[in-house]
Amino acid sequence: MTTSPLPSPPRGAAVLDTHAARQAPPITDAAALASLKKLTQYYIVTAFLALFVGVMIGPLQALNYGGINVYDLPIIRNLLKSYYQGLSLHGVLNALVFTQFFISGWMLYLPVRDLGARINLKFAWFTYLLMTAGLLMAAVPLLLNHATLLYTFYPPMEGDALFYIGAAIMVGSSLLVVGQVVLTWWNWKKANPGRVTPLVTYMSVATWMMWFVASLGIVIEVVGVLIPWSLGLTPGVDPLLSKTLFWWTGHAIVYFWVLPAYISWYAFIPRHAGGRTVSEPLTRLAFLLFLLNSTPVGLHHQYSDPNISVLWKTLHMFLTFLIAIPSLLTAFSVTASLEDAARARGGRGLFGWVTRLPWGNAIFSAQVLAMISFILGGAGGIVNASSTFAPVVHNTAWIPGHFHITVGTATTLTFMGVALWLIPHLTGKRLPSMKLASAAVWTWFLGMMVFALGMHWQGLYGVTRRAQISATAQDIYRDMPIALPTALTAISGVILLVSAVLYFYVLFRMLLSKRVDDGEVAAPIPYSEAISPAGENLGAASRLVRATEPLLAYWVLALALVLLMYGPVLGRMIANLQLVPGWRLY
Ligand code: HAS
Ligand code: CU1
């Protein structure tokens, strides 16, 4: 990619030039726009408050795998009853609450602005309040140590009914966002026959549709099994059935976490770097593949479970490899857009262009470091998915190593970077210090890399995940040559603590500062121009664009696929129910 009409901006500058990129259609009703922005801000701030608490518990976990037991210190004992309560809060707040709130705000705001739509704001606010009420309900038993079940809440471990009810309300509210976004898009389609859905809307709607199909497993599990069981209405619970329903959702949820980051990587990152999105038709294809194939793959979490036939496990394994393809499409096409940007900035050479990217801009560097982390995380995922390697890594420290460079970095660091322009955009406030923000994102990346190295390495020696290794009386770990990975893990916890303090200092200082700009002008939605756009007129669009447009039909197909791949597996479990009583181990 050598030709580019873009000017070369100065090195390290935060580029937001004004060439042929799309602009959000104007919303003339100022009060509606203000309310929408306020709502989005509420979602984002709630998300970061959850992340703040969750992240502060993280170093305790890292120190544990560093062989240092801080859980018995009186100050920690007063706050957390056990390692497992700490780990439950850490997982639920970071992986479930932070992500869902951020994504609900982000992927409601983007399509509504992208289409210039009017939505029912009362309903949108109601959804936010309901989601928050669900969160608070689930938080009470968690904080009281009555739901120390880890973020997967596998039965027969049993928690208070309030936890399951709160979780159901929280997850259920996200389905109201699905309804609102899909309906908004559908109304736009009816009002604009023959037009191609704009890219950001396309990506958002496809992701929400995927999440709907994905969420059904956990909804059936929590509403149909766990709530009645925890209320004493059923005599017991079938652990395998629940676990299978959980992973129906639990695998696809990882794409619900990463696709909103992909939206930014495809649509906005090129603009931050002064370049262009490579191909809108290709981007649409990637999202369509995610819609169809994200869900029927969850058995790769259950290779070691009995009573599931090897045939089904193997089918899910191949489908898992298939779902790596749209991520690989993303990897190549986002790299091409970065190269396009760097060359426009005067970058030269096979790899020399990389130095011309705006690494000093934390909005950009956070997200590109997130991508780099995901190259490693994705590669590890393919190891996990291979049934031949899985027995080596399953249930070892390798797995938390994997997910801290996927959801913990690819997703979280992207959202941290996005917030640095989104909050100024929503509020008219300014980022107080680019230097501190940069320090925060680079140390996050460094800390997570060190953590992942330590944990993957320990995992290869069979150090188990979810164990209070630092307090074990067993000397099985003593003879292993794991001193170095153990030390790395402990060090990473300290680096990440420093990073979190820096990031939240910048974030809260920004939020608590005064409004100085019009966010619409000072920090507009950073749409990128596309080298190969999809066009606006469906009749004149390429065959790929036309083929990817009917999302509603693909939604039905996605549902059919998941029923096909899960129906027989679940049917057999339901026909052979094995109910057992619950336990409270904590
Ligand atoms: Fe995973 C376990 C397989 C992706 C998260 N995963 C987990 C768990 C979590 C998680 C939380 O098959 C733990 C669950 C638990 O508690 O038990 N995972 C995969 C596979 C992928 C994958 C095949 N995982 C993710 C993503 C996550 C995530 C995404 C969160 C966001 N995972 C597994 C399996 C297990 C598992 C098994 C169960 C393990 C067990 O034994 O229990 C794939 O989707 C990955 C495909 C990705 C790629 C990488 C593409 C790279 C990109 C970046 C491009 C970079 C650029 C930078 C452009 C092929 C897109 C260029 C930069 C320049 C400067 C030029
Ligand atoms: Cu998975």
Side-chain angles (χ1 to χ4, degrees):
M1 209 162 302
T2 44
T3 51
S4 170
L6 297 179
S8 10
R11 247 177 122 141
V15 182
L16 264 182
D17 48 316
T18 50
H19 46 277
R22 178 183 168 79
Q23 283 182 344
I27 292 187
T28 41
D29 183 343
L33 180 60
S35 174
L36 177 67
K37 284 188 157 187
K38 177 128 272 171
L39 171 66
T40 310
Q41 194 192 333
Y42 269 69
Y43 270 120
I44 304 292
V45 172
T46 312
F48 277 106
L49 287 174
L51 186 72
F52 177 67
V53 180
V55 156
M56 287 300 151
I57 303 173
L60 311 184
Q61 257 69 260
L63 288 173
N64 169 54
Y65 276 95
I68 303 164
N69 177 18
V70 283
Y71 273 96
D72 288 336
L73 296 178
I75 178 168
I76 307 282
R77 265 264 172 266
N78 287 334
L79 293 169
L80 298 167
K81 292 278 172 301
S82 68
Y83 164 77
Y84 289 99
Q85 192 190 8
L87 188 55
S88 300
L89 280 163
H90 178 72
V92 170
L93 289 170
N94 295 339
L96 304 180
V97 179
F98 166 64
T99 52
Q100 195 191 299
F101 274 81
F102 189 99
I103 292 164
S104 297
W106 173 241
M107 277 194 338
L108 175 67
Y109 187 73
L110 286 181
V112 170
R113 290 304 309 270
D114 199 38
L115 299 176
R118 279 192 73 108
I119 57 164
N120 184 336
L121 281 159
K122 280 206 179 106
F123 181 79
W125 275 102
F126 167 76
T127 305
Y128 166 78
L129 293 172
L130 191 67
M131 200 182 285
T132 309
L135 165 63
L136 295 175
M137 274 169 92
V140 172
L142 261 171
L143 291 169
L144 292 175
N145 195 33
H146 292 174
T148 294
L149 308 168
L150 305 180
Y151 80 127
T152 44
F153 45 87
Y154 291 149
M157 272 202 299
E158 189 178 2
D160 280 2
L162 198 60
F163 172 76
Y164 303 113
I165 295 170
I169 292 174
M170 197 182 101
V171 175
S173 319
S174 73
L175 301 184
L176 299 182
V177 189
V178 177
Q180 191 159 32
V181 171
V182 173
L183 203 67
T184 302
W185 166 72
W186 191 244
N187 288 337
W188 179 89
K189 291 278 294 173
K190 280 194 296 193
N192 296 276
R195 277 189 58 195
V196 175
T197 301
L199 185 67
V200 167
T201 305
Y202 188 92
M203 296 189 281
S204 309
V205 171
T207 306
W208 277 126
M209 287 178 165
M210 184 283 288
W211 172 239
F212 175 82
V213 176
S215 70
L216 295 179
I218 213 169
V219 168
I220 301 169
E221 183 201 5
V222 176
V223 177
V225 177
L226 300 181
I227 293 177
W229 169 61
S230 61
L231 290 172
L233 302 176
T234 50
V237 68
D238 182 325
L240 183 64
L241 175 64
S242 292
K243 194 176 171 189
T244 307
L245 287 167
F246 181 88
W247 286 116
W248 162 334
T249 302
H251 175 74
I253 204 174
V254 311
Y255 300 115
F256 178 57
W257 296 335
V258 90
L259 296 186
Y262 281 10
I263 293 180
S264 175
W265 298 357
Y266 274 114
F268 305 137
I269 270 292
R271 179 67 174 271
H272 291 301
R276 300 166 297 175
T277 300
V278 171
S279 163
E280 292 191 353
L282 186 81
T283 308
R284 290 158 62 100
L285 177 66
F287 274 75
L288 179 59
L289 293 175
F290 281 119
L291 168 59
L292 292 177
N293 189 208
S294 288
T295 317
V297 299
L299 289 187
H300 67 224
H301 291 262
Q302 297 182 263
Y303 291 141
S304 63
D305 287 0
N307 294 338
I308 302 174
S309 104
V310 175
L311 174 70
W312 286 106
K313 289 179 182 170
T314 310
L315 282 172
H316 279 232
M317 176 175 75
F318 283 115
L319 288 174
T320 305
F321 294 139
L322 218 55
I323 196 63
I325 290 175
S327 282
L328 288 166
L329 289 179
T330 304
F332 288 110
S333 87
V334 174
T335 307
S337 71
L338 293 177
E339 180 176 353
D340 176 57
R343 294 212 185 276
R345 293 162 156 268
R348 295 277 172 272
L350 194 56
F351 297 111
W353 55 267
V354 173
T355 59
R356 280 302 174 101
L357 292 168
W359 294 107
N361 175 3
I363 302 170
F364 171 87
S365 56
Q367 300 186 60
V368 178
L369 294 172
M371 294 173 197
I372 293 171
S373 155
F374 194 48
I375 297 176
L376 302 168
I382 293 174
V383 171
N384 301 346
S386 311
S387 60
T388 40
F389 293 136
V392 179
V393 297
H394 183 59
N395 278 342
T396 71
W398 170 287
I399 304 300
H402 164 69
F403 66 68
H404 281 78
I405 50 176
T406 50
V407 63
T409 311
T411 298
T412 304
L413 194 51
T414 296
F415 291 176
M416 287 161 85
V418 162
L420 301 178
W421 71 259
L422 185 61
I423 289 178
H425 168 78
L426 296 171
T427 61
K429 296 173 180 182
R430 280 192 197 155
L431 180 63
S433 162
M434 185 57 95
K435 280 218 166 80
L436 283 182
S438 286
V441 306
W442 282 88
T443 45
W444 188 272
F445 175 71
L446 176 71
M448 283 299 184
M449 287 298 117
V450 177
F451 178 81
L453 179 62
M455 293 294 276
H456 279 90
W457 193 343
Q458 293 195 51
L460 290 179
Y461 280 101
V463 174
T464 46
R465 71 183 283 197
R466 297 178 153 176
Q468 200 176 1
I469 295 293
S470 58
T472 181
Q474 311 253 348
D475 41 305
I476 46 167
Y477 298 114
R478 209 161 293 157
D479 301 329
M480 291 181 187
I482 53 169
L484 183 56
T486 304
L488 288 172
T489 311
I491 292 166
S492 74
V494 180
I495 303 175
L496 285 163
L497 182 62
V498 171
S499 166
V501 169
L502 286 170
Y503 185 79
F504 284 106
Y505 172 73
V506 170
L507 188 78
F508 291 133
R509 225 183 99 186
M510 174 159 65
L511 284 165
L512 296 173
S513 66
K514 284 212 169 60
R515 176 196 158 93
V516 282
D517 295 312
D518 175 0
E520 286 297 300
V521 180
I525 300 177
Y527 282 108
S528 311
E529 189 193 345
I531 298 175
S532 177
E536 288 194 0
N537 178 352
L538 197 57
S542 70
R543 203 182 289 171
L544 183 55
V545 171
R546 275 179 286 134
T548 47
E549 184 67 18
L551 276 176
L552 222 42
Y554 289 115
W555 197 10
V556 176
L557 187 60
L559 199 61
L561 256 172
V562 79
L563 294 178
L564 188 73
M565 295 306 292
Y566 266 106
V569 177
L570 290 168
R572 220 180 121 188
M573 287 177 194
I574 293 167
N576 297 290
L577 271 191
Q578 309 272 340
L579 298 187
V580 299
W583 319 319
R584 286 176 182 253
L585 293 169
Y586 42 90

